[in-house]
Amino acid sequence: IVAIHGLDGHREQSWTAEDGTLWLRDLLPNDLPNARILSYGYDADTRSFTQTSTHTIFRHAEAFFERLSQRRHMHPRRPIIFIAHSLGGIILKKALGLGHRDSFKTDRGFRDISTSTLAVLFFGTPHSGANGVQLAEWMGRLLSVYMYTNNQILSELDRDSPELEEIQRYYQSAGEQLSTIFFYEEYETPILGGRTKLIVPRHLAVIQGDDRARVASLHADHSEIVKYRRTNDENYRKVVDYLLELAGKAKVTVDENWIREDGHRSVAKGESPPFQQTTLPKPLVPVSRYYVQRQEIYDFLTEKLLPSTLPEQQPRCVLHGLGGGGKTQAASFWIEKNKEKFSQIVVVDSSSQQQIEEDIETAIRSVGPQYSKATWKDAVAYLSGAKGWLLFFDNADEPDLQLDEYIPNSTDGVVLITTRNRECVAYAQDSHIQVEKMTEREAIDLLHKASGVTPSPNDNSVAIVRELGMWALAITQAGAYISRTQGFNTYLATFQTHRDKLMREASLKGRNYKGSIYTAFDLSFGLLPKNAQELMKICAFLHHSAIPQALFKRSVSSGFRVYTGSKSYSLPDTVLTPIITRFRSAKLLLASFFPFFSPREQNSEAAIISGLEGILGSEWVVFSFQTLIDSIAQGSLMDAFTDSNGECFYNIHPLVQKYIQDLLEEGDQHRYALLASQLLLGAIRPLRVESNIWHQQLSSHVDNLPLEAKLVDIPHASAFAMVYISTGNRNALQPLYEYCYSQFCTLLGPRHPRTVLAMNNLAITLADSGRLEEAEKMGREVLTLQMEILGQRHPDTVSAMHNLAAILADRGQLEEAEKLKRESQQ
């Protein structure tokens, strides 16, 4: 058992309670007398007034495994359980990643350690999604416990640190075969300034997507989570119970690891492991008993892989799309139904280059004893001369994965590929299909099968599958939850209040899925470059469909600045027709447009614009933008399409948007909503032509913004009002004009001309919304003020008369309305 502390830790003091009990030394040997217990110490003092270590995370990880390898040189295959506290877990993950990727030819022992590792117990280590998502955003909270920091280390923990992303990425492969326990703190920790904070909460203390891991809470703060005083301490007993369980299976499990490792090392040397170790081919992924046939996909596979005439080229098909859409299940279902048509079916786990070679090699050795020393290259040659085979590459998701050398050169077999990486369509340019949302009928059938409930009528079923975007894995998860709780009619309400928990829940026993829908998204989102992730976070607050490419181009070109045009500008009459029919207000509706920012608002907008420039640049460069989009589309997180006019638009699945929103803390949600708002503001300009198509294209995205992101200041609210005016969305205007009127009253006073004009706009909007009593009261007040300030014959006063007359007519006060109308026409 090897313990490693975190920043500002000590190999003994980090594990020692206030009464001096060092549980690794004083308690644990009594429960595990046959275990060797080591505590590793390294210079992680970030508070020293004299000297701090300048080691990077890489150097700390390398030094850790070098020292451990030296201690184990007489027994390099002894099983290991690691215990890691706080940021010591980051160093451990880096070290395990180094060991996992170490060459077979080195003799420094890192790979021995990785192979011998049975389990890792993480205590308050800040993780993230699949690949560093959110981790840097929480790092400041963790480091707030400390006073001084080692800049060398902290630079690697910065928001844009490639080192941090690499640690997460390579640990994923290293941690696949490990037993993992994630412990998280329940209590807040005292920090600087006399405050307390929950340093590493549950959702950050686990690695999303690790479905084999277990999670447990401890009644302690971040520091006390690894300090125990007595053997009957509840926290200690919980930890020891896990250790006893793991120790009981340590030898058998690690021995199996070494059997596989010895086989790999033999292959690397050009030798072959004993035949009996590698004779069973990889089985087909079982089809869920709840699977609903996707007829379009099934027919497409049949057409492409079982052609009616002799093919001139090798039949191939690629199923591509976002994780959780049902690609593997659709492929396995088709293979199961058509397996008699093939002489041999070779199933290949394509999650890595190494795994591909192992599975193909296993397949050839399963043919017979004569192939017991065959390599994957022999297998490819064998299939090139064979007939009637099917080669199934499943989960070929990695961006840099190359499949060409593993595909036999023959038209006598067929190749089927499932992938999240859209670039894999290159393997079958004319034979690929995107696995998207199910049809509504398919989705309802799946929900009923998975839940075991068939309600009548189907109203709730339709609402549930629509809320879940017709996405296969999400619907299966919903069915599992409903089956367990019998809460069909209450599921939607539960989903809306506990969405993140439900979508991360992986209780899918018997349904043949490896993880939750959010776990599937983690894997794709985590592989995106940092700026691509940032762009997706912004797009999460736009409408999910028809995001115009021109939005980004126009906004970048304007410097992301909000329009603050002149008071006199009016929209063309034809554009105003849908909303302005009875009121003289074309000029007044836009009267609020002027550069009216407080210093605080100016600074705030500058910060938001700076954030957008960091993601999209300060100048429009189509190549750079397309590179961002390509990286997102590659993982099937976004689709592009072109309309009849040749304009480019993007779609994002609504569940992906919800997933991204749930990744963000509340404060960050507000920040990215503001970024999305500013992006739109940079593209909103008055229409200089008769058509309002551009504002129509923006309207749904403006609608999707949270209201508070539209009401940042008067120019922002007025710009969004411009879109609603030209598209005829009367109901959406009211909160914007209420805000503008309130702000003008506060800033300029109730009698200022701009305030009166804003009140006039609001009165018109209230009348259009049917709130006639309020509209009449406000219209009378507008007319009184205009007459006092401007006089009876001023054009604005005349317009106020006309508007009040229209309101009175709607209320049935025809005599007074007619009188005012005559006065306004004189």
Side-chain angles (χ1 to χ4, degrees):
I1 297 174
V2 183
I4 177 171
H5 59 77
L7 286 181
D8 278 35
H10 183 271
R11 67 184 181 89
E12 292 184 1
Q13 294 171 9
S14 291
W15 317 96
T16 302
E18 285 186 0
D19 65 354
T21 302
L22 173 56
W23 67 279
L24 295 173
R25 178 194 64 202
D26 302 329
L27 306 181
L28 194 55
N30 296 324
D31 288 293
L32 288 166
N34 294 325
R36 294 160 183 80
I37 303 167
L38 308 176
S39 179
Y40 177 70
Y42 59 101
D43 184 1
D45 183 2
T46 64
R47 292 184 289 180
S48 172
F49 287 97
T50 56
Q51 185 176 5
T52 61
S53 169
T54 58
H55 269 31
T56 63
I57 291 175
F58 171 80
R59 293 300 180 194
H60 276 306
E62 192 176 48
F64 176 33
F65 265 27
E66 283 176 352
R67 189 72 185 97
L68 185 57
S69 180
Q70 291 169 357
R71 287 293 300 266
R72 288 168 48 86
H73 76 280
M74 296 295 292
H75 303 280
R77 300 192 175 200
R78 180 178 290 149
I80 302 172
I81 298 173
F82 283 108
I83 294 174
H85 178 225
S86 190
L87 292 174
I90 302 293
I91 293 173
L92 174 61
K93 289 197 295 183
K94 177 66 175 179
L96 287 169
L98 290 174
H100 183 72
R101 299 178 66 238
D102 216 13
S103 169
F104 292 114
K105 298 178 181 180
T106 65
D107 58 0
R108 60 181 184 172
F110 287 17
R111 195 172 181 91
D112 292 353
I113 294 173
S114 181
T115 303
S116 299
T117 299
L118 168 74
V120 178
L121 279 63
F122 290 108
F123 292 80
T125 293
H127 303 289
S128 61
N131 199 28
V133 181
Q134 284 193 318
L135 178 53
E137 297 168 15
W138 281 88
M139 201 58 65
R141 177 175 294 190
L142 180 59
L143 296 175
S144 66
V145 179
Y146 310 118
M147 258 176 110
Y148 300 96
T149 53
N150 176 343
N151 291 332
Q152 188 80 21
I153 292 179
L154 298 192
S155 66
E156 297 181 352
L157 301 178
D158 190 59
R159 175 182 296 273
D160 298 312
S161 164
E163 172 71 11
L164 199 58
E165 293 182 4
E166 183 183 83
I167 290 171
Q168 296 288 73
R169 183 165 63 252
Y170 289 124
Y171 178 72
Q172 283 182 319
S173 298
E176 283 179 353
Q177 303 302 319
L178 302 180
S179 294
T180 307
I181 317 291
F182 297 116
F183 292 101
Y184 67 94
E185 66 232 38
E186 290 185 351
Y187 301 159
E188 293 186 342
T189 302
I191 62 174
L192 296 176
R195 296 174 296 139
T196 62
K197 275 191 178 181
L198 194 63
I199 302 299
V200 184
R202 183 187 190 280
H203 76 273
L204 194 65
V206 302
I207 297 178
Q208 305 296 345
D210 191 345
D211 301 318
R212 298 171 63 249
R214 288 173 285 181
V215 181
S217 64
L218 294 176
H219 310 308
D221 64 23
H222 187 71
S223 176
E224 298 297 311
I225 199 173
V226 288
K227 297 175 181 178
Y228 319 119
R229 303 181 183 185
R230 298 176 298 277
T231 56
N232 61 354
D233 183 299
E234 182 180 348
N235 288 342
Y236 175 77
R237 291 313 321 167
K238 187 179 291 187
V239 172
V240 167
D241 286 345
Y242 281 117
L243 288 172
L244 289 170
E245 174 196 329
L246 292 167
K249 61 181 182 181
K251 188 177 188 309
V252 172
T253 302
V254 172
D255 282 350
E256 291 174 353
N257 291 350
W258 274 104
I259 290 173
R260 287 191 295 271
E261 178 68 8
D262 287 338
H264 298 329
R265 295 185 182 188
S266 295
V267 171
K269 294 177 182 177
E271 303 170 356
S272 176
F275 170 66
Q276 61 270 20
Q277 294 174 12
T278 55
T279 55
L280 295 177
K282 184 177 288 295
L284 189 66
V285 175
V287 178
S288 169
R289 61 185 295 188
Y290 305 107
Y291 181 75
V292 172
Q293 182 171 338
R294 314 277 292 272
Q295 194 62 50
E296 180 187 2
I297 299 171
Y298 187 92
D299 292 344
F300 186 84
L301 289 170
T302 301
E303 175 190 347
K304 299 301 181 182
L305 298 183
L306 294 174
S308 55
T309 59
L310 193 66
E312 296 181 3
Q313 295 182 322
Q314 183 183 77
R316 296 182 184 178
C317 190
V318 175
L319 302 185
H320 62 94
L322 186 62
K327 300 180 294 294
T328 296
Q329 286 285 294
S332 295
F333 179 82
W334 187 89
I335 293 172
E336 188 64 36
K337 291 294 183 182
N338 295 279
K339 60 185 178 183
E340 302 301 328
K341 298 181 174 70
F342 300 100
S343 61
Q344 186 174 5
I345 296 172
V346 179
V347 180
V348 180
D349 176 356
S350 305
S351 56
S352 69
Q353 213 91 20
Q354 179 179 336
Q355 191 62 53
I356 290 173
E357 294 174 6
E358 288 182 16
D359 286 353
I360 294 177
E361 190 172 277
T362 297
I364 185 63
R365 293 181 181 184
S366 70
V367 174
Q370 67 272 33
Y371 296 101
S372 63
K373 295 184 178 181
T375 66
W376 68 266
K377 293 182 179 180
D378 298 324
V380 174
Y382 171 87
L383 291 176
S384 296
K387 292 186 177 182
W389 46 265
L390 183 151
L391 182 55
F392 176 29
F393 292 98
D394 190 26
N395 294 322
D397 302 328
E398 290 295 322
D400 55 353
L401 197 64
Q402 299 294 328
L403 297 179
D404 293 291
E405 59 185 331
Y406 305 116
I407 298 177
N409 184 21
S410 169
T411 59
D412 292 323
V414 303
V415 176
L416 175 57
I417 302 170
T418 64
T419 179
R420 303 176 195 199
N421 182 359
R422 200 183 186 286
E423 290 187 357
C424 282
V425 303
Y427 294 112
Q429 287 283 13
D430 58 346
S431 303
H432 60 85
I433 183 171
Q434 185 169 2
V435 179
E436 298 182 288
K437 63 183 183 181
M438 308 177 82
T439 67
E440 190 169 284
R441 181 69 264 164
E442 291 169 346
I444 291 172
D445 288 347
L446 175 58
L447 179 65
H448 292 173
K449 273 191 174 185
S451 65
V453 179
T454 308
S456 181
N458 269 345
D459 293 353
N460 271 341
S461 303
V462 172
I464 289 171
V465 298
R466 286 180 179 175
E467 181 71 19
L468 297 175
M470 314 292 180
W471 210 246
L473 180 51
I475 294 168
T476 304
Q477 278 184 253
Y481 180 84
I482 292 168
S483 175
R484 192 168 70 250
T485 63
Q486 295 300 301
F488 203 101
N489 293 331
T490 59
Y491 178 80
L492 267 183
T494 305
F495 176 82
Q496 287 160 1
T497 54
H498 301 286
R499 183 178 67 204
D500 184 48
K501 186 176 187 301
L502 288 175
M503 291 294 93
R504 288 210 176 274
E505 189 177 61
S507 57
L508 296 169
K509 293 180 180 177
R511 290 165 173 81
N512 297 102
Y513 283 99
K514 293 182 179 179
S516 70
I517 185 65
Y518 274 14
T519 299
F521 293 167
D522 279 338
L523 297 174
S524 295
F525 190 75
L527 290 173
L528 294 181
K530 184 66 179 177
N531 266 9
Q533 288 184 3
E534 293 295 291
L535 179 58
M536 286 293 288
K537 290 175 184 177
I538 294 172
C539 290
F541 293 92
L542 302 176
H543 193 269
H544 63 85
S545 64
I547 303 171
Q549 184 188 76
L551 164 62
F552 303 98
K553 180 179 180 179
R554 294 190 185 197
S555 195
V556 171
S557 300
S558 74
F560 307 104
R561 300 288 176 182
V562 63
Y563 175 74
T564 54
S566 67
K567 174 180 175 180
S568 61
Y569 178 77
S570 299
L571 290 173
D573 290 341
T574 53
V575 174
L576 289 167
T577 298
I579 188 168
I580 310 301
T581 55
R582 307 183 308 283
F583 303 110
R584 294 183 181 177
S585 51
K587 177 180 70 172
L588 302 187
L589 277 167
L590 291 179
S592 299
F593 279 85
F594 72 110
F596 199 100
F597 292 96
S598 69
R600 182 189 62 79
E601 289 163 345
Q602 288 177 327
N603 293 336
S604 175
E605 185 181 46
I608 293 295
I609 289 175
S610 176
L612 286 169
E613 288 176 342
I615 299 166
L616 295 168
S618 56
E619 296 182 4
W620 176 252
V621 181
V622 67
F623 178 81
S624 300
F625 179 75
Q626 192 58 48
T627 300
L628 267 183
I629 294 297
D630 287 346
S631 66
I632 297 169
Q634 183 182 36
S636 298
L637 290 165
M638 177 184 284
D639 298 318
F641 70 93
T642 305
D643 70 1
S644 58
N645 296 318
E647 297 292 330
C648 182
F649 296 84
Y650 307 108
N651 291 335
I652 303 171
H653 194 280
L655 267 187
V656 173
Q657 287 187 310
K658 292 180 173 69
Y659 156 78
I660 294 172
Q661 291 172 17
D662 288 340
L663 280 180
L664 303 172
E665 293 300 311
E666 186 175 345
D668 288 326
Q669 287 183 9
H670 181 63
R671 174 174 172 262
Y672 285 102
L674 290 178
L675 286 167
S677 172
Q678 196 71 40
L679 177 70
L680 286 163
L681 289 166
I684 295 172
R685 293 295 182 268
L687 299 171
R688 302 293 177 180
V689 296
E690 296 280 320
S691 172
N692 66 347
I693 289 177
W694 176 239
H695 283 178
Q696 287 177 350
Q697 290 177 358
L698 296 183
S699 180
S700 63
H701 304 296
V702 175
D703 283 343
N704 208 63
L705 289 174
L707 182 59
E708 61 269 20
K710 303 176 195 177
L711 306 182
V712 172
D713 51 46
I714 294 171
H716 286 62
S718 299
F720 291 128
M722 186 196 304
V723 173
Y724 289 139
I725 292 166
S726 69
T727 56
N729 190 345
R730 291 176 291 193
N731 292 332
L733 279 171
Q734 183 181 318
L736 300 180
Y737 282 154
E738 286 177 343
Y739 172 82
C740 288
Y741 172 58
S742 172
Q743 290 295 299
F744 276 126
C745 282
T746 301
L747 296 168
L748 303 176
R751 297 178 59 84
H752 192 280
R754 294 191 186 278
T755 307
V756 178
L757 290 174
M759 187 192 306
N760 183 62
N761 290 346
L762 180 55
I764 294 170
T765 306
L766 290 171
D768 265 338
S769 302
R771 295 167 60 179
L772 295 175
E773 184 177 349
E774 296 172 75
E776 179 190 343
K777 180 181 178 181
M778 191 164 283
R780 290 184 185 279
E781 189 174 350
V782 168
L783 180 56
T784 300
L785 288 169
Q786 294 287 43
M787 293 183 72
E788 291 177 3
I789 298 169
L790 302 175
Q792 187 171 357
R793 295 304 172 188
H794 192 280
D796 287 351
T797 306
V798 173
S799 291
M801 287 182 187
H802 181 91
N803 294 339
L804 180 56
I807 294 170
L808 292 172
D810 284 350
R811 297 206 69 192
Q813 301 174 31
L814 301 180
E815 185 176 340
E816 185 179 1
E818 182 62 27
K819 179 183 175 183
L820 276 173
K821 187 173 183 182
R822 283 198 303 270
E823 289 181 17
S824 71
Q825 293 172 346
Q826 290 176 358

